[in-house]
């Protein structure tokens, strides 16, 4: 008869305990893999049917928000002049996050991993195409830094997002050829109709101000009549250049037809928008374009802010009425509701 010592008991039970631990580790791994697969499938479902780059960035941010607390996700493609910034913050936090993102893009930051700003924000950047510096910029909540698990999840998800963005670029190339004004290169009325309702819905959802600037050139008909249509086309191109340089990537600038332009300012109230409108008046005056010694090109501007419950038609009619007052009160001026 043999007597089992404590050492024998330990040695005989240890292999079984080791096997159990191994099984538990494998089950935990399979559980995590299944959870990740479910998350990735949800991302596939959310991205399906989204065609525009801006829509893809917003859809990705909405998917990621419950998993990684962030303030902004941006896409930038320097070579193709594509930039889309989607920020979930409000007020000063939103402005700071957007300013931080634009600063990093302007500096052409090529960091890998984290980039820390003095207020404690962390930014991460992933490059898709090194030839044109195309990539995703992620700005986290203040004081928040990605864990290795979160980095791993994002790396996997960006494979899907990257492929979607390539599809989005192809779509936008086709769309722009069909929706750009051939003379000025600005967006046309079709783009306005496609985007404005979404901008209004987003402003209401996040309780952000949305302002509309309606612009009509003063004395443009005199220039066309006295200097010819070719000179008139050159004037419209010059004006479009002034407007494009003044607006942000998140704004909507459209040539509505003839010498009428429309600018919708994202997350901008009347006070801030008026400052920009006054600058546009001055900038167009400084083009120093004259039909004759007494007739100078200018711009009249009407501006209003979207009101609760207001339809697009009501908003546009109200803005047009305000523009009429600018014209009636001396032209080359800004009228605000």
């Amino acid at each position: 008869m043999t007597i089992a010592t404590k050492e024998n008991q330990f040695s005989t039970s240890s292999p079984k305990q080791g096997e159990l631990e191994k099984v538990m580790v494998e089950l935990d791994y399979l559980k995590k893999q299944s959870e990740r697969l479910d998350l990735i499938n949800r991302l596939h479902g959310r991205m399906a049917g989204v065609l525009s780059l801006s829509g893809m960035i917003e859809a990705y941010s909405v998917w990621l928000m419950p998993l990684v607390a962030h303030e902004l996700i941006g896409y930038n493609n320097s070579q193709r002049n594509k930039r889309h910034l989607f920020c979930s913050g409000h007020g000063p936090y939103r402005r700071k996050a957007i300013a931080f993102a634009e600063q990093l893009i302007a500096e052409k930051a090529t960091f890998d991993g984290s980039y820390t700003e003095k207020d404690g924000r962390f930014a991460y950047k992933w490059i898709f195409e090194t030839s044109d510096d195309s990539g995703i910029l992620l700005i986290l909540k203040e004081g928040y830094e990605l864990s290795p698990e979160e980095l791993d999840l994002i790396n996997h998800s960006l494979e899907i997002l990257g492929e979607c963005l390539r599809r989005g670029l192809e779509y936008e190339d086709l769309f722009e050829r069909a929706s750009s004004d051939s003379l000025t290169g600005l967006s046309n009325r079709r783009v306005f109709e496609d985007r404005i309702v979404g901008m209004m819905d987003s402003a209401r959802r996040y309780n952000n101000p949305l302002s509309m600037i309606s612009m009509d050139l003063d004395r443009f008909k005199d220039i066309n009549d006295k200097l010819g249509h070719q000179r008139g086309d050159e004037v419209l191109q010059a004006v479009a250049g002034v407007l494009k340089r003044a607006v942000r990537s998140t704004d909507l600038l459209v040539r509505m037809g003839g010498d009428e332009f429309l600018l919708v300012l994202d997350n901008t109230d009347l006070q801030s928008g008026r400052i920009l409108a006054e600058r546009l008046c001055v900038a167009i005056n400084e083009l120093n374009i004259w039909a004759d010694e007494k007739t100078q090109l200018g711009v009249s501007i009407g501006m209003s802010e979207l009101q609760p419950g207001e339809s697009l038609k009501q908003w546009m009619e109200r803005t047009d009425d305000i523009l009429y007052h600018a014209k009636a009160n001396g032209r080359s001026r800004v009228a605000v509701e």
Side-chain angles (χ1 to χ4, degrees), residues 2-286:
T2 60
I3 300 175
T5 64
K6 291 183 178 180
E7 289 77 3
N8 288 334
Q9 291 174 353
F10 178 80
S11 61
T12 56
S13 63
S14 181
K16 294 181 179 179
Q17 183 178 354
E19 290 176 5
L20 179 60
E21 290 177 352
K22 183 178 179 181
V23 169
M24 294 301 294
V25 169
E26 290 178 352
L27 287 175
D28 185 61
Y29 173 77
L30 291 174
K31 179 183 177 182
K32 290 180 178 179
Q33 289 293 96
S34 177
E35 290 173 348
R36 172 171 292 178
L37 181 60
D38 181 58
L39 288 172
I40 294 300
N41 285 337
R42 291 182 188 179
L43 177 59
H44 271 295
R46 187 172 289 276
M47 301 297 287
V50 181
L51 296 176
S52 67
L53 293 175
S54 59
M56 290 174 182
I57 297 302
E58 180 174 358
Y60 181 75
S61 177
V62 171
W63 172 83
L64 185 64
M65 184 60 73
L67 309 171
V68 178
H70 61 276
E71 287 187 315
L72 180 145
I73 289 182
Y75 172 74
N76 185 64
N77 187 316
S78 302
Q79 184 174 355
R80 301 178 76 163
N81 195 29
K82 300 285 186 181
R83 180 181 301 179
H84 296 282
L85 304 178
F86 179 77
C87 182
S88 59
H90 307 286
Y93 294 100
R94 176 186 175 90
R95 291 191 291 272
K96 286 181 181 179
I98 290 177
F100 183 29
E102 291 180 339
Q103 173 191 343
L104 296 178
I105 292 171
E107 293 175 352
K108 299 187 181 299
T110 56
F111 54 88
D112 291 321
S114 63
Y115 179 99
T116 309
E117 209 252 358
K118 63 181 180 181
D119 64 2
R121 280 188 179 84
F122 289 87
Y124 292 77
K125 184 176 182 181
W126 289 265
I127 299 295
F128 293 145
E129 300 290 343
T130 55
S131 60
D132 55 11
D133 193 33
S134 168
I136 286 292
L137 183 69
L138 172 66
I139 295 180
L140 303 180
K141 296 286 188 181
E142 186 173 342
Y144 188 89
E145 188 173 2
L146 289 179
S147 69
E149 292 78 12
E150 290 169 332
L151 270 171
D152 190 44
L153 173 65
I154 293 175
N155 285 332
H156 278 80
S157 68
L158 288 180
E159 295 177 8
I160 299 169
L161 180 60
E163 184 59 37
C164 290
L165 289 172
R166 282 187 282 273
R167 183 187 76 225
L169 281 171
E170 294 174 359
Y171 167 78
E172 289 205 348
D173 285 344
L174 292 173
F175 181 82
E176 286 174 2
R177 285 195 288 271
S179 56
S180 293
D181 175 57
S182 58
L183 177 63
T184 63
L186 299 181
S187 297
N188 60 20
R189 185 184 291 269
R190 176 180 174 180
V191 177
F192 174 79
E193 293 171 351
D194 284 344
R195 288 189 55 190
I196 187 60
V197 174
M199 294 181 74
M200 293 169 66
D201 289 344
S202 180
R204 286 168 174 151
R205 184 185 310 123
Y206 297 106
N207 196 30
N208 290 330
L210 190 67
S211 294
M212 181 182 293
I213 290 178
S214 182
M215 294 170 279
D216 189 88
L217 297 182
D218 300 323
R219 311 302 183 191
F220 179 73
K221 185 177 184 303
D222 294 327
I223 291 172
N224 252 341
D225 291 344
K226 295 181 179 182
L227 304 182
H229 291 291
Q230 181 174 348
R231 178 55 178 155
D233 288 349
E234 293 170 355
V235 168
L236 290 174
Q237 290 169 340
V239 169
V242 168
L243 300 179
K244 280 191 286 189
R245 290 190 292 271
V247 303
R248 304 163 299 180
S249 59
T250 53
D251 300 327
L252 174 59
L253 173 62
V254 177
R255 182 188 177 200
M256 298 297 283
D259 59 345
E260 298 177 14
F261 300 86
L262 201 66
L263 174 58
V264 183
L265 300 172
D266 178 53
N267 195 34
T268 304
D269 58 20
L270 287 178
Q271 183 178 359
S272 300
R274 180 162 194 163
I275 295 172
L276 173 61
E278 297 284 1
R279 288 175 180 168
L280 292 177
C281 262
V282 172
I284 290 176
N285 283 336
E286 289 178 348

